[in-house]
Amino acid sequence: MMAESMDSAPPAAEGLTVLFVVYQTHNRANGGVESITQVIENLRGVAPVVLTQADTPAAERWRRAGAVVHVRPFGGARGRAARAAGIVATNLAVRRLVRRTGARVVH
């Protein structure tokens, strides 16, 4: 499995571009991840782009469904200031991806 660089990956294929921001838990009790995976696998006329913090079998399924997958850390730091900095960094990453891919929807 290989993560796309947020700076070098091409925009998603034709269609309405939707950016999915998906947090995957470490214990893999990911009912929400399975649900969004099924949504991505069944989309028609939509170019999915996924931002997530782990390169997992779910990320591989998204790729097979045609999504461009970007992997980057989502905070997780301890301490109030570090958590706040992580939130800001993740929000900036989302903003960059929206601008670069032309995503009209963020989910």
Side-chain angles (χ1 to χ4, degrees):
M1 290 182 269
M2 189 163 198
E4 294 283 350
S5 163
M6 288 184 38
D7 296 323
S8 64
E14 293 181 36
L16 172 70
T17 301
V18 177
L19 172 60
F20 295 89
V21 181
V22 183
Y23 181 80
Q24 303 177 74
T25 63
H26 297 291
N27 62 11
R28 303 295 184 246
N30 289 319
V33 171
E34 178 58 30
S35 177
I36 203 65
T37 299
Q38 290 180 23
V39 168
I40 291 168
E41 289 174 336
N42 290 288
L43 288 172
R44 300 297 175 260
V46 173
V49 177
V50 179
L51 175 62
T52 190
Q53 90 293 359
D55 204 356
T56 64
E60 194 55 39
R61 282 178 65 189
W62 301 329
R63 288 184 187 97
R64 283 194 310 269
V68 176
V69 178
H70 301 271
V71 179
R72 71 168 311 280
F74 283 2
R78 298 190 190 276
R80 186 178 225 172
R83 276 194 310 273
I87 290 168
V88 169
T90 298
N91 286 337
L92 288 172
V94 169
R95 178 176 179 232
R96 282 192 304 272
L97 274 175
V98 166
R99 293 176 103 186
R100 198 174 65 65
T101 64
R104 302 288 306 229
V105 177
V106 177
H107 182 282

